[in-house]
Amino acid sequence: MANETGIGAAVKRKEDARFITGTGRYTDDIGAHGQTYAVFARSPHARAKLNGLDASAALATEGVVAVFTGADLQADGIGDLPCGWTVHSKDGEPMVVPAHPPIAVDKVNYVGEPYAVVIGESLEAAKNGAEALEADFEELPAVVDLASAASADQIHENVPNNQTYDWELGDKAATDAAFAQAHHVSSLEIVNNRLIPNAIEPRAALGEYDAASGLYTLHTTSQNPHLERLVLAAFVQIAPEARLRVISPDVGGGFGSKIFVYAEETAVIWAAGKLRRPVKWRAERSESFLADAHGRDHVTKAELALAEDGTFLGLRVKTLANMGAYLSTFASSVPTYLYGTLMAGQYKTPAIYVEVQSLFTNTAPVDAYRGAGRPEATYVVERIVETAAREMGIDAAELRRRNFIAPSDFPYETPVALTYDTGDYEASLAKALEHADYAGFGARKAASEAAGKKRGIGFSCYIEACGLAPSQVAISLGAGVGLFEVGEVRVDVTGSVTVVTGSHSHGQSHETTFAQIISEKLGVPFENVTVLHGDTGRSDYALGTYGSRSLAVGGSALIKAIDKIIAKGKKIAAHMLEAQEEQVDFADGTFTVADSNQSLTFPEVAFAAYVPANYPLEELEPGLSEKAFYDPPNFTYPAGAHICEVEIDPATGVVDITSFVAVDDFGHIVNPMIVEGQVHGGLAQGIGQALLEHGVYDETGQLVSGSYMDYTMPRADDLPSFTVDTTVTPCTHNPLGVKGCGEAGAIGSTAAVMNAVTNALGVASVPMPATPETVWRAAQA
Amino acid sequence: MEQSGEYTVSASRERVWEALNDPEVLERCVEGCRSMTVTGEGEFEAVVAAKVGPVKATFTAAIELQDVVAPESYRLQVGVKGGAAGFAKGSAAVQLAECSRDETRLTYHIEGSIGGKLAQIGSRLVQAAARKMAASFFERFAVDIGRSQGV
Amino acid sequence: MYQFNYHRPASLDEAASLMAGADDGTYLSGGMTLIPTLKQRLAAPSDVIDLGGIGALSGITDNGNTISVGAMTRHAEVAASNAIPALADLAGQIGDAHVRNRGTIGGSIANSDPAADYPAAVVALDSTIHTTERSIAGGDFFQGLFETALDEGEIITSVEFTKPTSAAYAKFPNPASRYAVVGVFVARCGDATCVGVTGAGPCAFRWSELEAELAKSFSASAVANAALDHSEFNADIHASAEFRGNLVRVMAERAVASLT
Amino acid sequence: MEISITVNGRSEALDVPDNALLADVLRERLGLTGTHVGCDTSQCGACVVHMDGAAVKSCTVLAGQANGAEVTTIEGIGNPDNLHPMQAAFRENHALQCGFCTPGMIMSAIDLVQKADGQLDEGDVRDGLEGNLCRCTGYHNIVKAVLAAQDDMKSA
């Protein structure tokens, strides 16, 4: 009998009970007795010297408790916000890192950078105080344009040419040689637009300090509270980890933007200690736009060399990546190891050379946003492949097929440092073509044309490296932290189970899927499993949620802990049943002795472990609680085929997505309902990037798309219903055979949409996002 | 944001030039101007209550006359601080050409930018609002000087 | 928000006297523009005078040849009405459902946002704005960017629209805010056709060149013959002046086509 | 300023500042934190509640404007043992992930269905939800849930 709440079942979510009744508990829903309110004074200038700050009027404002400046934090020994991944330039030198004080000290470098924090008895008082601050700014010319940033004014004293590093990957000589013998070379200039993550819950923090114990507690909207704690302890130096507890309660979406350690929670927890009063901060959306780390923002030139039959010979990519004004927590890794390493895509391109120059500008810091590097890589590869197909007159699906890495090629070592373990790209594409009715496209196009519309179809066969880990690989490439995960299974006396995981759920549904794994493996009723996460006071150190890693790494750690529980349970059962340990089997929640009718239920064994009357105490500790750390040997490689069909109204430039098909290979799936949901959400963000979303700074560095009045979020009426399907090649190296599904939608879809738009218009490229005016202009040409 | 315009003013070029340097005239011609104080040679400070739809804020503007070529041209450099609303800065290059003894052609070219909250949430209105303010100033100026000439 | 005194008068007289007595008062109708502005601290009125308590200002009356829409009538109510279908259609395209449940016709018109929808209908239909002081012809009401013929303290009480023979509104919404990038209202009143355009200029205006062409031949193809100077049109990150010019034409074509 | 409002069937007399917003009164004075605040320009819809039978953005309603009104929040439409059909449909169709937009989305959807008299198709639902942003679901399952709830609400 299949377990109806086990692995593979579309179990309804445990989380929903509270969310649909309004009883979720997000950071801003939590208050502390006697709390004060923090408001950050933010620079209105993109670049300026801060020659002075007169806080006297602010301090005299009714209800203002304190005003703290960057100098106050420095005087208290508060350190800079670090970047956790050291990338080396071509010449072997480590990246150049500018100082990044949480609160600006004598200069500001982007609009929205905090230069003081005002604490008030009420939010209104703190706002009044912030307005009463008199800052003496001396404006300097802002560096905004990425393409010319290297030759613009130097933003940071220690960073010549505004360049943090000039990185390369791949074999330049071999790639040049490949191009020398090419029959055809396609080239493309690409701008990957800046995105603003916009989790619907704005960031928030509540800092508390208990003078009696010296313990700091920070409630905040973090995807990885342990990382937050580590940085606050080791770099910012608030307090040792043991006196610092970070809790991420319900978090309303992250998409990467809540991985990072920001100025605000740093200042809030510090101020709570300073004032010995709780301090609360919640971003207004206008602040989120300015001060959350943004995503993407590349300028790229890509060239693909092909043989006469369409075989890929070489790929050359040169990218400028915008870091914004400072290096955010993982910013350096995004356009390098999460980007350049994916340039092989699903293809056997033998020679690849990637160069990335990462530059500072006077804009908000740019860091990982859903997909992080892999959407950018997919966009480059899949746009240039589609371009080559069109230029060579080869069907776009066929050209891909000719170059796919075949199932027999695995494990496959790419020229850009990855070893793919498994996959079947042809299978996904075939299924997608069928769903998309590719054969019927011509007739649909003709019908559109008859109605004065332009119809196009576009493909994207993406691959990603996720399940982020393995630690040793990441550390050898510059990561400053390990990337393992922890899983703990606490079997209760009565046999119910509490799982504690270091992964954090902010939409991903860990409370459900992790309970399914327990239900499947231990036979414990689904409703008797509780999953705890998001609290450094509860779980061991682990790295949290990003890079589609929760199930592949955190779930695998859980499996290892479950294995330990079963092993110990067998020992206990063997003792109780007076059998040899090797004779005991465990399945469907029951320990049985082979070739006998003797058995014990899982709760019976658990009870015996905690009430050890009949128990081998001399050999075995009492209790039934195990944890395991898991560090995988390789990344996982989800891949898939996305096909987008659009119809364009050439009179207005409006692009209508008439169908979107995504066929993904995530390996084994624990909960297909949840996986589909993850894909839907990713697709919406990828489509949003292609057609709607754009973080726009004007030439003086003002963010002019700084609210929902101008930043176009995908809405229900902007999107179609999606056709989503899967193929399965199980991951070969983790115990669940899972690959991760959180980012795939955002990674694959953007290129498919833009390939469809350019196909419809019959042009080589259209700037992204393909807004109505952009498309209208292209349609006029 | 850039913008140009042209007015024919019924006054001699000398008279127009004088008016363009007269803080009292400037005060009358800036909509919502509460005060215009001379702070130095060719420098003024204006307090302006500006209203664009529901947005209503009192700004302090520092005005400086640069590149003065009497009575032909100058550049009016303006820096505006608007507290919570943000800031604005810009310059208006103004040129006067004699059409006849009592008619002068005034041309202006404005460059400006805004920052802070206004830029962040009001970008859709910036160009239209700037156009309106510039037009309002030069229209009032033309009328004012006409009136003072008894036209 | 800064602090202010909130008032909810029960009559127009009381509202006017509250306004007269306030240092810097502002009327509040639906609040869809004013409240976000206050939240951003972009205005600091001493007194907010909520017209929501004056029952007489709400509701739609069919007078036969005309309809009167009370100033405090919500967009949703107009959208659900049927006396002038094109007006209902326009109201149903304003903002989103929640904006339509709160926003009012009087508030929208008094604000004269360049991208508001109602002004296109006010200038295209034969309309009269009734206020506490007088009646103003719809064509004279909008005077510029956020500028109307209203005097300080004057309150719109109702908007009266003459029923057209037929009419249509075509809108190109701003993809982010759902304001009108461009909206064109075409109204046929007997032989005459009036075309109101919103979103393109500092305030709504009549496109008289198109009206003349449509008088010659009422067809979508007439749009191409009508002169339109877009050089001074609004421009922002969503649409340049040139693109707005194109959209005015396309929306006009679509509105006319739907009436032929 | 004294106001009296009926929230989820319970009348409340409150002394609030003149510049208080309905959303803040609900969250901070009445502890009804299911109503969320996700933006400051009245677009995201996380704060939607029903006021006198219509869905409104409670972050854009002054407390004074709600004086005398009947307000229903997400906490007032059902509980885990007795879910509103819309709540049940959201769960059944996996129409939520992080849950932050969900209360506003559900309140909007209920108003949409109630006003539509059971006639909504997919396009109507998509149009009708344009005032509610969701960053997680891509709306696909929300649309499914609302259509399913429409049937359930008809038969209920």
Side-chain angles (χ1 to χ4, degrees):
Chain A
M1 184 190 74
N3 183 339
E4 285 175 7
T5 56
I7 291 173
V11 186
K12 305 300 177 220
R13 296 202 318 164
K14 279 179 181 283
E15 293 87 341
D16 291 353
R18 63 181 189 276
F19 293 148
I20 58 179
T21 54
T23 49
R25 221 166 129 76
Y26 301 86
T27 301
D28 191 37
D29 300 339
I30 298 167
H33 182 67
Q35 76 185 14
T36 59
Y37 296 81
V39 167
F40 290 84
R42 297 185 184 278
S43 171
H45 302 291
R47 183 166 170 241
K49 281 192 201 161
L50 179 54
N51 288 331
L53 183 65
D54 181 354
S56 52
L59 285 164
T61 303
E62 192 188 338
V64 168
V65 175
V67 176
F68 295 120
T69 63
D72 293 329
L73 270 72
Q74 283 191 341
D76 224 28
I78 296 303
D80 281 2
L81 298 174
C83 176
W85 197 303
T86 303
V87 169
H88 290 75
S89 288
K90 290 171 181 169
D91 59 9
E93 290 297 313
M95 67 188 189
V96 191
V97 182
H100 186 190
I103 308 247
V105 178
D106 49 14
K107 58 191 179 197
V108 288
N109 279 313
Y110 64 97
V111 172
E113 182 174 359
Y115 62 86
V117 57
V118 179
I119 315 288
E121 294 289 353
S122 67
L123 184 58
E124 194 166 286
K127 276 194 180 184
N128 291 341
E131 265 176 40
L133 285 171
E134 284 178 35
D136 178 9
F137 287 113
E138 179 187 336
E139 251 193 286
L140 298 168
V143 179
V144 181
D145 176 45
L146 175 60
S148 59
S151 55
D153 282 14
Q154 188 170 326
I155 296 171
H156 299 289
E157 278 162 26
N158 65 329
V159 189
N161 306 318
N162 293 320
Q163 177 184 294
T164 178
Y165 55 74
D166 179 12
W167 176 84
E168 66 178 346
L169 182 68
D171 188 334
K172 183 175 191 301
T175 307
D176 289 345
F179 274 82
Q181 26 160 304
H183 167 77
H184 179 82
V185 173
S186 288
S187 69
L188 204 56
E189 311 250 346
I190 287 169
V191 175
N192 200 296
N193 41 321
R194 179 181 281 246
L195 303 175
I196 302 176
N198 273 304
I200 303 298
E201 179 204 24
R203 287 191 292 119
L206 169 64
E208 292 173 83
Y209 175 70
D210 178 40
S213 62
L215 184 72
Y216 288 85
T217 305
L218 175 66
H219 281 87
T220 191
T221 49
S222 174
Q223 297 179 216
N224 39 5
H226 281 100
L227 180 79
E228 178 91 40
R229 183 175 73 154
L230 173 66
V231 170
L232 290 178
F235 295 90
V236 179
Q237 306 206 329
I238 297 287
E241 283 167 279
R243 287 203 288 118
L244 189 52
R245 181 177 177 190
V246 178
I247 302 172
S248 298
D250 287 331
V251 172
F255 316 109
S257 70
K258 292 173 180 169
I259 296 172
F260 321 121
V261 181
Y262 288 97
E264 292 85 0
E265 64 262 22
T266 304
V268 157
I269 190 69
W270 171 79
K274 200 82 185 154
L275 296 170
R276 307 212 157 190
R277 286 183 69 180
V279 180
K280 175 88 171 272
W281 169 75
R282 180 185 72 85
E284 295 191 349
R285 180 60 55 183
S286 306
E287 291 183 278
S288 310
F289 271 100
L290 296 176
D292 286 6
H294 294 180
R296 318 276 197 264
D297 205 343
H298 287 188
V299 174
T300 293
K301 177 158 192 215
E303 295 166 285
L304 180 66
L306 301 97
E308 195 168 1
D309 65 354
T311 302
F312 302 164
L313 302 175
L315 175 68
R316 197 148 54 193
V317 177
K318 190 169 171 53
T319 290
L320 299 181
N322 200 339
M323 294 286 100
Y326 300 96
L327 284 177
S328 174
T329 315
F330 286 115
S332 53
S333 65
V334 176
T336 50
Y337 292 105
L338 297 176
Y339 171 72
T341 52
L342 274 305
M343 287 299 171
Q346 301 185 352
Y347 312 109
K348 287 191 278 193
T349 313
I352 299 175
Y353 181 63
V354 186
E355 291 172 283
V356 180
Q357 226 184 326
S358 284
L359 302 172
F360 293 106
T361 59
N362 293 112
T363 61
V366 180
D367 205 327
Y369 166 67
R370 201 173 196 169
R374 291 148 292 167
E376 296 92 312
T378 299
Y379 192 64
V380 169
V381 173
E382 290 303 292
R383 285 284 295 115
I384 190 86
V385 165
E386 193 103 354
T387 301
R390 290 175 195 165
E391 287 174 357
M392 294 185 72
I394 302 172
D395 176 86
E398 173 56 25
L399 181 66
R400 287 176 168 87
R401 268 194 219 103
R402 283 184 202 174
N403 288 283
F404 276 155
I405 299 160
S408 56
D409 296 330
F410 294 103
Y412 178 83
E413 198 178 326
T414 74
V416 275
L418 296 178
T419 303
Y420 301 166
D421 62 337
T422 181
D424 186 347
Y425 310 136
E426 173 107 38
S428 293
L429 179 60
K431 215 168 186 180
L433 288 169
E434 200 180 310
H435 282 302
D437 183 22
Y438 187 42
F441 173 71
R444 294 192 296 277
K445 187 175 174 69
S448 293
E449 265 164 24
K453 302 282 180 68
K454 292 172 184 278
R455 187 174 279 262
I457 194 163
F459 300 83
S460 172
C461 293
Y462 75 93
I463 189 162
E464 55 166 322
C466 70
L468 295 186
S471 293
Q472 287 183 349
V473 173
I475 291 164
S476 76
L477 299 177
V481 289
L483 292 171
F484 54 83
E485 197 50 61
V486 67
E488 185 176 348
V489 179
R490 297 180 187 160
V491 181
D492 306 314
V493 182
T494 58
S496 64
V497 168
T498 302
V499 169
V500 189
T501 172
S503 304
H504 182 263
S505 177
H506 34 280
Q508 296 88 342
S509 323
H510 295 31
E511 291 166 44
T512 303
T513 42
F514 283 30
Q516 285 180 256
I517 294 171
I518 295 291
S519 171
E520 171 89 18
K521 298 289 183 187
L522 296 180
V524 174
F526 178 73
E527 57 275 17
N528 291 354
V529 185
T530 295
V531 178
L532 302 178
H533 61 90
D535 183 349
T536 62
R538 278 174 168 165
S539 94
D540 278 56
Y541 174 75
L543 277 305
T545 294
Y546 48 86
S548 305
R549 69 193 299 275
S550 287
L551 192 59
V553 190
S556 295
L558 180 62
I559 290 286
K560 286 190 69 180
I562 289 169
D563 288 346
K564 290 185 186 177
I565 291 283
I566 294 171
K568 186 169 180 182
K570 283 181 178 174
K571 286 196 170 87
I572 299 166
H575 175 87
M576 291 171 73
L577 299 172
E578 296 178 345
Q580 293 300 309
E581 190 185 325
E582 305 77 57
Q583 293 176 290
V584 179
D585 278 334
F586 179 70
D588 299 329
T590 307
F591 294 91
T592 51
V593 177
D595 307 323
S596 83
N597 56 2
Q598 296 194 85
S599 69
L600 284 170
T601 64
F602 184 76
E604 284 170 331
V605 170
F607 189 82
Y610 289 100
V611 187
N614 178 16
Y615 193 90
L617 277 172
E618 56 285 358
E619 296 155 29
L620 211 54
E621 294 169 13
L624 194 54
S625 178
E626 297 286 348
K627 73 177 156 218
F629 292 85
Y630 178 77
D631 204 324
N634 194 354
F635 300 100
T636 60
Y637 299 95
H642 292 187
I643 302 179
C644 178
E645 193 165 319
V646 299
E647 190 179 64
I648 291 173
D649 177 351
T652 60
V654 169
V655 177
D656 179 28
I657 296 180
T658 57
S659 115
F660 199 103
V661 174
V663 177
D664 301 291
D665 178 358
F666 300 131
H668 287 316
I669 285 171
V670 173
N671 186 322
M673 174 192 82
I674 287 167
V675 166
E676 277 193 20
Q678 289 292 312
V679 174
H680 294 157
L683 294 179
Q685 280 168 315
I687 292 169
Q689 166 161 30
L691 299 181
L692 305 169
E693 300 182 38
H694 199 187
V696 183
Y697 283 93
D698 73 8
E699 65 282 1
T700 66
Q702 296 293 327
L703 181 67
V704 292
S705 61
S707 80
Y708 292 144
M709 298 288 285
D710 288 298
Y711 188 85
T712 309
M713 287 283 279
R715 304 196 192 206
D717 58 349
D718 294 316
L719 297 169
S721 282
F722 309 111
T723 303
V724 171
D725 203 346
T726 52
T727 58
V728 178
T729 61
C731 172
T732 58
H733 58 76
N734 66 44
L736 283 163
V738 297
K739 297 183 179 177
C741 66
E743 297 161 293
I747 290 169
S749 57
T750 307
V753 178
M754 293 305 288
N755 282 336
V757 169
T758 50
N759 177 244
L761 293 170
V763 299
S765 78
V766 172
M768 188 159 71
T771 60
E773 176 157 6
T774 305
V775 172
W776 173 73
R777 287 193 182 280
Q780 303 307 299
Chain B
M1 191 274 307
E2 287 188 48
Q3 199 189 324
S4 298
E6 187 179 298
Y7 286 90
T8 304
V9 183
S10 309
S12 68
R13 184 161 77 166
E14 282 68 23
R15 173 71 196 103
V16 175
W17 178 256
E18 243 169 66
L20 275 176
N21 286 274
D22 180 347
E24 282 179 28
V25 175
L26 297 178
E27 182 175 346
R28 283 200 297 273
C29 298
V30 174
E31 201 176 329
C33 189
R34 297 255 175 90
S35 68
M36 181 80 69
T37 326
V38 179
T39 50
E41 176 68 32
E43 290 179 14
F44 314 97
E45 188 177 277
V47 176
V48 182
K51 182 177 182 310
V52 180
V55 175
K56 231 172 164 178
T58 301
F59 297 96
T60 309
I63 300 166
E64 200 184 330
L65 305 183
Q66 297 175 340
D67 307 335
V68 177
V69 184
E72 266 177 43
S73 65
Y74 69 31
R75 176 181 301 276
L76 199 83
Q77 195 73 35
V78 186
V80 179
K81 281 185 191 166
F87 66 88
K89 58 190 173 169
S91 69
V94 181
Q95 281 211 305
L96 302 179
E98 234 165 12
C99 302
S100 65
R101 258 195 47 155
D102 47 11
E103 251 192 5
T104 306
R105 188 176 312 113
L106 181 158
T107 54
Y108 66 88
H109 180 77
I110 294 175
E111 287 180 11
S113 64
I114 61 164
K117 201 160 266 182
L118 287 175
Q120 192 187 352
I121 63 174
S123 66
R124 74 185 173 101
L125 298 169
V126 169
Q127 194 165 356
R131 185 177 287 153
K132 176 186 164 181
M133 285 176 186
S136 155
F137 174 82
F138 288 107
E139 266 161 33
R140 279 167 174 249
F141 181 79
V143 169
D144 189 89
I145 203 163
R147 191 184 298 127
S148 71
Q149 295 286 301
V151 176
Chain C
M1 269 187 281
Y2 296 111
Q3 292 193 3
F4 52 75
N5 301 308
Y6 172 85
H7 310 275
R8 194 179 168 96
S11 71
L12 288 165
D13 286 348
E14 193 189 342
S17 76
L18 283 165
M19 181 61 97
D23 270 354
D24 179 16
T26 184
Y27 292 124
L28 169 68
S29 44
M32 295 297 96
T33 300
L34 181 62
I35 294 174
T37 307
L38 295 176
K39 283 163 65 178
Q40 297 283 353
R41 294 189 158 204
L42 291 175
S46 62
D47 295 78
V48 170
I49 301 157
D50 180 4
L51 303 177
I54 308 171
L57 292 180
S58 208
I60 303 171
T61 316
D62 194 329
N63 311 312
N65 287 337
T66 68
I67 63 164
S68 294
V69 183
M72 286 296 289
T73 309
R74 314 278 176 191
H75 306 326
E77 202 181 326
V78 177
S81 67
N82 47 24
I84 302 178
L87 189 67
D89 180 44
L90 174 151
Q93 294 186 55
I94 298 172
D96 56 41
H98 319 107
V99 169
R100 295 193 289 275
N101 282 338
R102 293 296 297 162
T104 67
I105 189 169
S108 168
I109 289 173
N111 189 42
S112 186
D113 190 294
D117 294 284
Y118 271 129
V122 170
V123 300
L125 291 168
D126 180 8
S127 67
T128 308
I129 317 294
H130 298 288
T131 78
T132 42
E133 311 293 326
R134 59 194 160 134
S135 296
I136 307 166
D140 300 332
F141 186 76
F142 301 106
Q143 300 192 334
L145 185 75
F146 293 108
E147 267 180 31
T148 67
L150 291 173
D151 291 330
E152 198 71 33
E154 189 174 7
I155 303 171
I156 300 175
T157 54
S158 69
V159 187
E160 190 174 355
F161 295 101
T162 302
K163 291 179 188 171
T165 316
S166 61
Y169 181 60
K171 171 181 180 175
F172 191 88
N174 179 310
S177 70
R178 309 286 157 128
Y179 270 100
V181 171
V182 155
V184 178
F185 197 99
V186 176
R188 305 190 79 177
C189 306
D191 294 337
T193 300
C194 297
V195 180
V197 177
T198 191
C203 64
F205 61 90
R206 290 261 296 271
W207 185 5
S208 47
E209 291 85 349
L210 177 58
E211 292 173 359
E213 290 298 326
L214 291 172
K216 285 187 243 166
S217 151
F218 191 86
S219 68
S221 58
V223 175
N225 302 326
L228 180 70
D229 177 8
H230 64 246
S231 61
E232 298 264 296
F233 275 5
N234 299 331
D236 60 16
I237 60 172
H238 302 283
S240 65
E242 185 190 3
F243 185 50
R244 274 191 167 79
N246 170 66
L247 289 175
V248 169
R249 287 188 181 281
V250 175
M251 293 303 115
E253 276 168 9
R254 290 183 183 176
V256 171
S258 75
L259 296 173
T260 50
Chain D
M1 168 174 75
E2 300 276 342
I3 60 164
S4 67
I5 49 176
T6 304
V7 179
N8 300 332
R10 217 178 111 155
S11 49
E12 307 275 0
L14 301 167
D15 187 15
V16 299
D18 281 25
N19 64 355
L21 293 165
L22 176 58
D24 296 337
V25 171
L26 294 171
R27 286 179 55 80
E28 280 155 34
R29 293 298 299 279
L30 301 177
L32 297 170
T33 55
T35 297
H36 298 146
V37 176
C39 79
D40 43 19
T41 52
S42 309
Q43 256 111 8
C44 82
C47 67
V48 169
V49 300
H50 295 175
M51 186 163 115
D52 291 333
V56 303
K57 284 175 171 150
S58 64
C59 79
T60 315
V61 175
L62 293 174
Q65 292 177 292
N67 192 7
E70 296 245 2
V71 173
T72 306
T73 71
I74 187 73
E75 291 93 343
I77 57 164
N79 58 61
D81 299 323
N82 185 22
L83 293 175
H84 185 283
M86 190 63 73
Q87 291 172 308
F90 267 59
R91 177 170 193 273
E92 206 55 33
N93 291 281
H94 187 36
L96 62 151
Q97 290 177 27
C98 80
F100 193 82
C101 77
T102 307
M105 195 68 81
I106 287 177
M107 297 310 284
S108 291
I110 291 173
D111 189 45
L112 177 66
V113 170
Q114 280 172 345
K115 300 238 162 89
D117 208 20
Q119 301 298 312
L120 300 168
D121 63 16
E122 180 187 333
D124 299 329
V125 173
R126 289 186 179 277
D127 288 343
L129 294 178
E130 70 176 325
N132 291 82
L133 298 177
C134 170
R135 196 56 153 166
C136 293
T137 65
Y139 305 100
H140 180 111
N141 286 343
I142 292 176
V143 174
K144 257 170 71 180
V146 175
L147 290 171
Q150 170 172 253
D151 295 337
D152 297 342
M153 286 167 70
K154 241 187 288 185
S155 57

